Amino acid sequence: MINNITLVNFKDTCFDLSFLKDVITENDDLFPDPFSKHVDISLYVDKLFNFGEILVAVENDNIVGVACAYMNNMELKTFFLQMIFVDRFHQHKGIARLLLEKLFEISKEHGMHYGRLTVDRSNVNAQKLYEKMGFFDSKEIHENPNKKYMDVNLV
């Protein structure tokens, strides 16, 4: 816990799914390439809720950070981080690091040995965080020249 921040699986909270959708929509502009340009956020969150893991950082009954990942690639034993953000009022306080650490823990519990994410090449701050957490540039080239894959070993 950092300054009254609690990490919890979204499914274990009292929040309803529409509230999470609103939180993600309200923070969509934090991403260099907003999710809303590519997906219907409501459908996207439904899919994450049904097939992924959603962690939330909560302070005073408010969601201040979110991390979502799929952990169902049992063949490659690789989780895929779909989204991570901390609202603009809570950034640079270690919350994203805590969310990633918890995701790593949950990924291992699901039998994952590796992780992968996609990051905008222009998002230098995110890349620095990911590198501090053990991620490295993937050898696989992203189909979008403005993005790149980063991988992490969990074992």
Side-chain angles (χ1 to χ4, degrees):
M1 186 182 306
I2 293 180
N3 296 333
N4 300 322
I5 300 292
T6 304
L7 299 184
V8 62
N9 185 312
F10 180 78
K11 292 175 183 176
D12 295 333
T13 70
C14 61
F15 301 115
D16 64 21
L17 210 49
S18 62
F19 183 71
L20 179 62
K21 293 172 184 178
D22 290 343
V23 169
I24 292 172
T25 300
E26 290 166 8
N27 288 280
D28 194 41
D29 65 331
L30 293 174
F31 299 96
D33 189 17
F35 280 92
S36 61
K37 286 176 46 181
H38 307 283
V39 299
D40 176 308
I41 289 179
S42 181
L43 295 175
Y44 186 66
V45 171
D46 287 341
K47 184 178 174 187
L48 286 166
F49 182 79
N50 289 316
F51 303 107
E53 294 290 332
I54 303 171
L55 287 178
V56 290
V58 179
E59 179 185 60
N60 299 326
D61 295 326
N62 291 306
I63 295 175
V64 299
V66 176
C68 308
Y70 290 114
M71 299 179 189
N72 56 357
N73 187 334
M74 296 313 292
E75 182 179 332
L76 298 176
K77 297 188 182 301
T78 301
F79 79 85
F80 199 94
L81 181 66
Q82 293 293 305
M83 167 191 312
I84 184 168
F85 70 86
V86 175
D87 75 29
R88 61 186 39 83
F89 304 108
H90 292 83
Q91 292 181 0
H92 308 290
K93 296 181 179 179
I95 298 170
R97 179 184 51 78
L98 289 177
L99 285 165
L100 284 170
E101 287 172 351
K102 187 67 174 172
L103 266 180
F104 288 177
E105 180 183 317
I106 293 169
S107 296
K108 290 176 186 177
E109 291 170 2
H110 280 79
M112 300 295 112
H113 294 180
Y114 312 99
R116 173 166 278 187
L117 59 81
T118 300
V119 64
D120 285 272
R121 291 183 182 277
S122 65
N123 197 345
V124 176
N125 288 337
Q127 291 176 57
K128 287 179 183 177
L129 168 67
Y130 300 143
E131 288 168 357
K132 286 180 185 174
M133 297 300 299
F135 283 88
F136 53 90
D137 289 353
S138 175
K139 292 179 181 171
E140 186 175 341
I141 304 298
H142 199 284
E143 59 274 6
N144 181 334
N146 297 320
K147 297 180 182 290
K148 69 178 181 177
Y149 292 117
M150 294 183 79
D151 297 329
V152 67
N153 295 319
L154 299 176
V155 291

